[in-house]
Amino acid sequence: MEHKREYWFDLGLLTAIPVRGARTVQVPRRDIAVFRTANNEVFALENKCPHKGGPLSEGIVHGRKVACPLHNWVIDLESGHATGADHGCARSFPVKIENGRVFIDMGVAAAA
Amino acid sequence: MTSPDKCRRKLVVVGNGMAAGRMLEELFARAPGAHDVTIFGAEPRVNYDRIMLSPVLAGEKTYEDIVIHGDAWYAENGIDLRRGERVVAVDREARTVTSSAGTVAPYDELVLATGSDPFVIPVPGASLPGVVTFRDLDDVEKMLEAANKGGSAVVIGGGLLGLEAAAGLALKGMKVTVVHLMPTLMERQLDLSAAYLLRRAIEKRGITVETGANTVAIFGAGKVEAIKLEDGRTLPADLVVMAVGIRPNAALAKAAGLEVRRGIVVDDHLATSDPSIYSVGECVEHRGACYGLVAPLYEMAKVLAARLAGEEVAGYAGSITSTKLKVTGVDLFSAGDFSEGDETDEVVLRDPSRGIYKRVILRDGHIVGAVLYGDVADGSWYFDLIKKHADVSEMRETLIYGQAFQGGGAALDPISAVAALSDDAEICGCNGVSKGTIVGAIKAKGLTTLDEVRAVTKASASCGQCTGKVEAVLAATLGAAYSGSSRKPMCKCTDLTHEEVRGFIASKELKSFPAILQELGWKTSCGCPTCRPALNYYLIAAWPGEYRDDLQSRFVNERLHANIQKDGTFSVVPRMWGGLTTPAELRAIADIAEKYQVPLVKMTGGQRVDLIGIPKASLPNVWAELLAAGMVSGQAYAKGLRTVKTCVGKSWCRFGTQDSMGLGVKLEKLMCGSWTPAKVKLAVSGCPRNCSEATVKDIGVICVDSGYDIHIAGAAGLHVRATDLLGHVDTEEEALEVCAAVLQAYREQAVYLDRLYKWSEKVGLDAVRAQIIDDLANRKALYQRFLVSQRAVRKDPWAERVAGRELHEFMPLAKLDIIPAPVEA
């Protein structure tokens, strides 16, 4: 029987990510942006705006959204969907915080 | 007293705190007389209300007032209370516990209610006499004893307990400082706005608040005398209270071999890994969560009592917690999830004049969190709606006004709502202006604009928060005759314009984000990408050296000191003062370009070399090498001074009248690093032939035989505009002073993102000339203020980064070339 494999990879301390900012994680097939909101929630999206591929990790984080630095598309951190009149979606990945450390599910993040 | 009975089950409870007490109360109500109960309590007292220790410290209550279960209660229920006896061991085989006094008590069921221990930060001197925690009555007595002698107290920890301790000690006459590691008080329970109001209230009590402060040592000969902070400061202290948090007390459980993580691990029925041992209260870890508030403990106590009484009940499913601070005169409430939100999932109400802030956070039509400050009357109503997971979409519009407001019919649009108000309804709280007064003024004096109403009635002239309402009064009074305003609010977060916000920042001395958002009644909890960069700039411009730049409110280019390109790489432009360079600099740039395989090297329009296509992670190394060769950041990314372009001038050119290169270099050295509303470019031409194109620059100097013509407000971008001649000066010194004064006036007066020509067009060239050319004293004052603000930005941003500031941000958090094999579940 096929069962879902979870592989939580330790990315280090939450405090290594600036509040209302992001850091990246490089895996062979993609760059992933790991965001930290003002309320210390974390979200992970492929570091590529659905518009023209801008690095979302460099955008201004506000609430649970990020504004892409290239053309100001606003992307929802939870779903990866563009908000407002724009359409498109950045892929999102499972992340969690445990004991002040951030973990990403490599089973998903590193998959094809 | 009931006598021991062989049929009754032997219940031993370790711990005589609030969780144990409540559990027994519940148990006796459900199954009276079914258990023989023995309680071991480490404190030599009966069960008292620990959360009321703050009022005892403040002198508002006595120990007697906070006793929950007096001696009579223990006697009535046949409880064998072993006061001051600590349980030292549990024998799970024999089902007995052993106390410090040597008592061995057998049990059928054992309940561990060992609570938590205050966390003592492990710094040198932490065990000195005079260093206390804030956990039990003994601590309170020690604090009161110290307070009676007066002197200084330092409270380490700006959470709930720390602030209550600080308020109590201040009330007792001590000079109190709260030292808090995090940037804002009570960060786990409050958002920034509420934390700002709280800090203000705490400081009003004469308590000093140090946030972002880390204690590294405690000093004293024989007793505590001072503490030392990481920044090197020492604070005198006759008393140090550690209130930095609690840790579940799970040592006994661990020694007994029970499963312990952060706390004693229990299932939904509060059973530990040994089915005849239960645990309840602050010592447990349930579904990964530990609790330090009373409500969850009582919820657990109820479930455990039912279980011990043999009832079939739904298990404990975890708690949503709410917080209130018990400091007289400070009303705050927070519950649930109050993540930073935006306009789509939060409702914010601020009343700056009364110091009120309310925020309700919604998700999918349900309230998930609430933060209230100043007026907490509806806290329990919101908390109830959160716990019930009630659908509130129907009352969303009026939700923030509270329970009393519900059922009041459909919400009106703002104009009809204002039209429906009576004449004596207050519109402007700051200046006490009623609707009738405004309507009367509009009719009597024929007012048609907001500014006129402000000038005549003072309505909305203080904090500006009622601007929307005043406009609605105008619209309702004038009807179709009101053309609406040409005013453009800054963004969706406020009705105020940029100019108004700038004005208030100066007049009300608003020095932080939370101060602006609260005092000017922002409609969102923390701004948006439109207003945040603008406010950050206004704060920098208004309070140089005092306000700390908020990097996360800056666009990427200014945050990383490089220009982002379409592929996510960056460009690097070293400064070349006045457009001058040397063979050594060029050689270094060439070497760096080759070493880092820079894809494109290009000359810019501002006489600089641009290295384009450098990945983020390489930036610090590239900068380090440029710095080593004597170059600094060219700030080609900044809304600030970018370049001063020069022509050769009289040192070489046969037409040159003055030293244009020299002046250009001086101007650039004077102005570099300054932040401005939008980018600023200068040029100096050595003669009216104007080879450096000074007449399309923000500020252009054209040298003539008799001195210097200063031009301003040119542009050559999206909009092309030739400069206006501001005036003529005779000396280089004056030229520098006038240029800097223009820049400072622009910095102080312009709307964020307006180029200099836009500002000049808005205020008028004559007005600019009046304040800089005609009014010499004003020019000098502007110049001095510019020099002051420049002192704050004298560090080269590249050098700071290379030296390690936020350097880690340039590196990925993790880099995995090969994915390790997943661990089989």
Side-chain angles (χ1 to χ4, degrees), chain B residues 178-185 199 209-214 233:
Chain B
V178 174
V179 172
H180 191 48
L181 186 61
M182 302 304 282
T184 60
L185 296 175
R199 180 178 182 144
V209 179
E210 298 280 358
T211 49
N214 190 14
R233 284 182 296 160

Side-chain angles (χ1 to χ4, degrees), chain B residues 261-278:
Chain B
R261 286 199 286 259
R262 260 196 305 161
I264 303 169
V265 177
V266 295
D267 64 14
D268 286 1
H269 290 93
L270 289 315
T272 66
S273 55
D274 178 334
S276 52
I277 303 180
Y278 297 87

Side-chain angles (χ1 to χ4, degrees), chain B residues 30 84 118 207 284 405 541 609 719 721 729 737 746 783 788 798 802:
Chain B
R30 285 160 199 265
I207 297 168
V284 312
F405 203 86
V609 175
H719 181 82
R721 186 186 192 283
V729 293
E737 190 177 278
Y746 166 60
Y783 181 63
V788 167
W798 289 357
V802 170

Side-chain angles (χ1 to χ4, degrees), chain A residues 7-14 98 100-106, chain B residues 813-814 816:
Chain A
Y7 176 45
W8 291 102
F9 182 81
D10 184 352
L11 294 176
L13 289 171
L14 174 66
E98 263 176 24
R101 300 186 78 83
V102 181
F103 294 82
I104 188 163
D105 187 351
M106 277 294 166
Chain B
L813 203 51
L816 288 98

